[in-house]
């Protein structure tokens, strides 16, 4: 935490305790809204609500809300009256306002929309039609565009008059039916003669996305072409909105966090639950219970080999290392494939290469780890055959695990199940089972040398 | 893969096989450089080099290289003569050129810098001074700034004359010593009278970063304030360069991939190694071998309980589930903490809350899973005491695992070791060991009821 913020936090806490509401309001007027939002991480729920109620200007309140999670923002607003809420939301960009309205209780949302100016509520209701994770769901509709038959002079005139539009740096050009036909930079306008018609100077090859494109896909387009904003069009190429790169950054962060959480069987919705342990546990349990039955299945397999184990009790010393290493290697391969799918670096065309690479890598690592653990087993239990059995089982188990690590997420992707969440329990259980099978099958085969 | 790219790929492959170099060159002139770079994922090394050599315009070659990984770009260039390389690099932004020069063999780098215009090589050598992961290392130095004593009219004049600068949308204002003193948007310039002096209209409160700031920190600043670019200053506030949000996106993606890979014990450098299985295996092995010895240690512990196991062989059926579930729960908590550290959502101030939350969550999940597996054990082996022992051990092991999952990454962060890489093997081994200890200690205690 930065020292500046630390001091601010302490001041605000002190003032809250003293009930010095006037001073807090004055202080909040002087802080960047992003910094106010940042402080929310460190406040408890009561302080969060109190602080929010003390923000005087609706613009600042709106900016703070836009920085916070939308579900959380909705909860902060619920404490206010419908009129207050509608004023704050009308001071926010429509896309953020729509996301918050979506998270309000239905009655309250309807009331708030009713209280707004028709113009505002219509825009917001329009945005509510789109899927939350689609280009339409994250676009801003306050977009500045110019007709292609304007002259440069007229264009500059309308830029001077325009206000309240999201940062203007690309100027989108449309035809008379509002179809997107070109793009210009503001700087370009300044470098041609004032009488030029936009149609003659604009760049016709505009990169755009459709309203129904998935937000991850949008992020990839923006990233690939290194653009600062991408216009959003409907199926007939009508200009509907704009997605700026700061929204794209949020998408990239969110999706990365989501994938990381999912691979561990956690859930990014937890972030909204604060310290509600029961709700968090409920989110994580289905994944854990799946793993639990995988573990029981592995145990059942071991039980089938109980005679072998009773005969050669030394075999138990290598159960954890064989199942553990299979899980690790499988996890590595699965991670590479899942992340590759997410970033677009791996697709079905390049998958075969990845599979063969991971198989080779798994085999090489399997030989190294097999030799290592084999020598350990030989030295420890003074039996070269035990070393051989353990080493061989480890090598085979690791090679199989690497293969499985590629195949399982691919399979889940093909059948339309998110590989990030399904891969781990499946890979782990499959690897435990094959590891144990290979280990005890080899051991049973060589049983006379092990006793 | 998009159908358009798919067709392009097939065409290029066909033309390469036919040796129709003329046609390829012509085709490459018509494709967006980002698309050419995209094709590289699907080509084999020989095709990659051939295709690169067929790009005629040095600008296009430069743009393609800027989209590819820098180490990979350097390898593509190595095949050319020093003169050719220097021409291409001089057609790229200095920051990308510097990153590539850094990856060239030392002799070749020196030769190339020698062949460049002094102006260019000085800029590049200046950039080479900065750490690769710092603001200085990723900033672009082609920055457009205006003196504070200019009038708006003069400012617009110099914008019209300027070319070859990175997208202009924020105009940075400096004093006579090149200190950053303000910022303006291009649109603002158009809305005030031409005679106004910049000093009187600029915004004085500019968000900037220092050249030595870590790139992750830079990403967080840009993200927090939703800005499209951030100026970079030296310790005396002199304007040195600019970081645009598209560079920030690369940083965020890279860091997320790096963390995801590290947590699985893989390495993001693998991405540069293509299919070189031996080198990849060497990168992953140290982490695996650490885990291997963790597994052997767990096995040694089990060996100590061999009498108990021989007495009650049914106990073996629950070894995989107890160690596995501890690892899973510990992994969940560790993932949340490691990701929280990375995104800045968790810091030492909020850690205590996270710890208590994870402990409560772990306990709740431990009770649920303990009951489940306890009932399974009872039903399977027809012994309620076995059910009790297994269930109890599971509950305790999972609670401990969740606690460990928070403490281990915190400990590693405190002593300056990357928690992403260190947490997993440590958490896993610690959990296996405590799981086994708790399980067999409970079992030994109740041994007379289990037989």
């Amino acid at each position: 935490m930065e020292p500046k913020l630390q001091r601010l936090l302490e001041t605000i806490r002190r003032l809250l305790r003293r009930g010095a509401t006037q001073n807090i309001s004055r202080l909040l007027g002087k802080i960047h809204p992003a910094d106010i939002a940042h402080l929310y991480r460190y406040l408890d729920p009561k302080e969060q609500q109190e602080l929010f109620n003390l923000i005087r200007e609706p613009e600042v309140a709106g900016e703070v809300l836009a920085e916070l999670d939308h579900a959380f923002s909705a909860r902060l607003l619920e404490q206010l009256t419908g009129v207050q809420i509608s004023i704050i939301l009308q001071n926010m960009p429509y896309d953020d306002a729509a996301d918050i309205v979506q998270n309000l209780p239905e009655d309250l949302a309807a009331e708030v929309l009713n209280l707004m100016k028709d113009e505002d509520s219509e825009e917001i209701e329009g945005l509510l039609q789109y899927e939350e994770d689609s280009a339409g769901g994250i676009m801003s509709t306050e977009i500045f565009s110019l007709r292609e038959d304007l002259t440069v002079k007229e264009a500059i005139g309308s830029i001077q008059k325009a206000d309240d539009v999201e940062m203007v740096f690309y100027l989108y050009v449309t035809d008379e039916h509002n179809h997107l036909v070109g793009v210009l930079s503001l700087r370009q306008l300044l470098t041609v003669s004032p009488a030029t018609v936009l149609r003659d100077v604009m760049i016709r090859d505009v990169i755009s996305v459709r309203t129904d494109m998935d937000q991850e896909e949008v992020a990839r387009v923006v990233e690939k072409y290194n653009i600062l904003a991408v216009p959003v069009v409907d199926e007939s190429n009508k200009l509907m909105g704009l997605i700026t790169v700061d929204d794209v950054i949020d998408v990239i962060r969110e999706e990365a966090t989501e994938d990381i959480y999912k691979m561990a069987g956690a859930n990014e919705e937890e972030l909204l639950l604060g310290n509600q342990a029961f709700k968090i546990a409920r989110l994580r349990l289905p994944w854990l219970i799946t793993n639990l039955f995988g573990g029981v299945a592995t145990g059942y397999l071991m039980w089938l080999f109980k005679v072998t184990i009773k005969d050669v009790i030394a075999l138990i010393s290598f159960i954890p290392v064989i199942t553990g290493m299979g899980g690790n290697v499988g996890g590595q391969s699965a991670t590479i494939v899942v992340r590759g799918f997410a970033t677009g670096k791996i697709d079905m065309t390049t998958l075969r290469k990845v599979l063969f690479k991971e198989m080779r890598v798994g085999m090489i690592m399997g030989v190294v780890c097999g030799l290592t653990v084999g020598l350990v087993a030989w030295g420890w239990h003074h039996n070269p055959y035990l070393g051989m059995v353990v080493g061989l089982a480890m090598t085979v188990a690791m090679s199989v695990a690497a293969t499985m690590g590629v195949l399982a997420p691919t399979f889940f992707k093909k059948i339309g199940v998110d590989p990030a969440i399904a891969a781990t329990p499946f890979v782990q259980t499959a690897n435990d089972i094959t590891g144990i099978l290979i280990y005890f099958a080899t051991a049973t085969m060589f049983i006379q040398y092990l006793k």
Side-chain angles (χ1 to χ4, degrees), chain A:
Chain A
M1 194 174 180
E2 293 163 49
K4 199 188 77 182
L5 273 177
Q6 180 75 48
R7 278 195 304 275
L8 197 60
L9 178 64
E10 282 157 19
T11 311
I12 284 182
R13 280 215 164 115
R14 204 178 48 238
L15 292 173
L16 278 175
R17 272 198 303 275
R18 278 210 248 133
T21 53
Q22 294 281 336
N23 299 8
I24 297 179
S25 289
R26 214 171 314 127
L27 185 60
L28 290 177
K30 281 184 267 176
I31 313 172
H32 194 295
D35 286 324
I36 303 181
H38 194 114
L39 288 178
Y40 269 73
R41 291 182 195 167
Y42 306 100
L43 299 171
D44 63 41
K46 205 171 137 262
E47 294 171 324
Q48 290 173 334
Q49 189 70 50
E50 279 179 21
L51 193 65
F52 182 72
N53 298 346
L54 289 171
I55 302 175
R56 276 212 201 106
E57 289 88 34
E59 296 83 23
V60 178
E63 282 182 67
V64 172
L65 292 182
E67 291 299 313
L68 295 169
D69 180 85
H70 295 127
F72 179 77
S73 298
R75 243 177 294 145
L76 282 178
L77 283 177
E78 278 174 39
Q79 313 300 319
L80 307 181
T81 66
V83 178
Q84 289 174 313
I85 301 175
S86 71
I87 292 172
I88 293 176
L89 292 182
Q90 285 181 97
N91 271 293
M92 293 177 72
Y94 291 130
D95 53 332
D96 290 316
D99 287 334
I100 292 177
V101 167
Q102 211 153 27
N103 283 290
L104 286 175
E106 234 168 274
D107 303 355
L108 188 57
E111 186 196 338
V112 167
L113 285 172
N114 247 326
L115 287 163
M116 284 184 183
K117 278 183 279 176
D118 284 354
E119 182 199 331
D120 290 334
S121 60
E122 274 162 26
E123 284 280 356
I124 291 174
E125 278 165 353
L127 282 173
L128 290 175
Q129 310 301 315
Y130 298 108
E131 291 284 329
E132 224 182 321
D133 289 349
S134 70
I138 58 170
M139 72 185 179
S140 126
T141 48
E142 288 108 311
I143 180 170
F144 182 80
S145 65
L146 297 162
R147 282 276 296 278
E148 56 177 342
D149 47 12
L150 289 185
T151 63
V152 167
K153 192 166 175 227
E154 290 166 325
I156 293 180
S158 53
I159 294 168
Q160 288 167 337
K161 268 176 279 161
D163 57 58
D164 200 38
V165 291
E166 270 210 44
M167 308 151 271
V168 182
F169 35 86
Y170 297 129
L171 300 168
Y172 298 105
V173 185
T174 54
D175 66 13
E176 72 257 59
H177 305 299
N178 198 31
H179 294 124
L180 178 66
V181 292
V183 66
L184 273 170
S185 77
L186 197 43
R187 191 172 151 268
Q188 248 178 304
L189 274 195
L190 297 176
T191 54
V192 291
S193 106
T196 323
V197 177
L198 296 188
R199 188 188 293 121
D200 301 330
V201 282
M202 69 188 189
I203 297 162
R204 282 167 192 280
D205 201 9
V206 202
I207 294 160
S208 65
V209 297
R210 279 267 301 270
T211 45
D212 55 0
M213 188 185 262
D214 185 84
Q215 61 175 0
E216 282 188 69
E217 198 55 44
V218 175
R220 257 179 253 151
V221 169
V222 170
E223 211 183 337
K224 178 170 166 188
Y225 295 107
N226 287 328
I227 43 184
L228 294 174
V230 66
V232 186
V233 296
D234 69 5
E235 61 281 8
S236 69
N237 198 34
K238 271 208 180 101
L239 184 61
M240 305 302 287
L242 178 73
I243 296 174
T244 47
V245 79
D246 54 313
D247 300 316
V248 167
I249 287 189
D250 294 340
V251 170
I252 292 177
R253 271 259 203 254
E254 264 172 42
E255 303 280 353
T257 301
E258 208 180 296
D259 278 358
I260 293 175
Y261 272 41
K262 272 188 200 156
M263 287 175 77
N267 194 306
E268 82 287 358
E269 284 175 37
E270 290 184 13
L271 291 172
L272 314 180
L273 293 174
N275 295 317
Q276 304 177 63
F278 274 98
K279 288 195 181 162
I280 294 174
R282 206 161 61 197
L283 284 174
R284 292 190 204 166
L285 270 168
W287 187 89
L288 280 177
I289 298 280
T290 315
N291 272 304
L292 189 148
F293 283 101
V296 170
T298 314
Y300 177 71
L301 250 162
M302 281 174 54
W303 177 244
L304 296 181
F305 287 103
K306 59 182 177 295
V307 179
T308 311
I309 296 175
K310 267 207 155 177
D311 262 13
V312 189
I313 193 76
L315 285 172
I316 58 163
S317 352
F318 300 98
I319 293 170
V321 83
I322 294 214
T323 55
M325 295 299 281
N328 289 331
V329 172
Q332 291 179 334
S333 303
T335 299
I336 280 160
V337 174
V338 169
R339 183 67 186 159
F341 284 150
T343 58
K345 292 236 175 193
I346 297 179
D347 60 19
M348 294 301 168
T349 327
T350 49
L351 196 73
R352 186 191 296 263
K353 259 202 234 167
V354 175
L355 174 64
F356 289 130
K357 179 199 71 180
E358 287 300 320
M359 282 170 72
R360 281 203 308 277
V361 173
M363 234 179 296
I364 295 165
M365 298 192 303
V367 169
V368 175
C369 292
L371 275 174
T372 311
V373 80
L375 288 172
V376 169
W378 182 3
W380 176 2
H381 295 284
H382 310 293
N383 183 340
Y385 294 103
L386 183 67
M388 197 199 66
V389 166
V390 174
L392 194 67
M394 176 75 97
T395 306
V396 179
M398 282 175 68
S399 310
V400 173
T403 314
M404 206 67 116
V406 178
L407 294 181
T410 308
F411 168 74
F412 285 114
K413 196 182 161 76
K414 282 229 164 152
I415 63 167
V417 174
D418 187 339
I421 186 134
T424 319
F426 187 85
V427 170
Q428 190 164 311
T429 304
N431 286 340
D432 281 0
I433 289 177
T434 47
I436 290 292
L437 261 183
I438 295 163
Y439 182 41
F440 285 114
T442 330
T444 312
M445 238 154 62
F446 293 96
I447 191 83
Q448 67 267 40
Y449 305 105
L450 298 177
K451 285 194 215 179

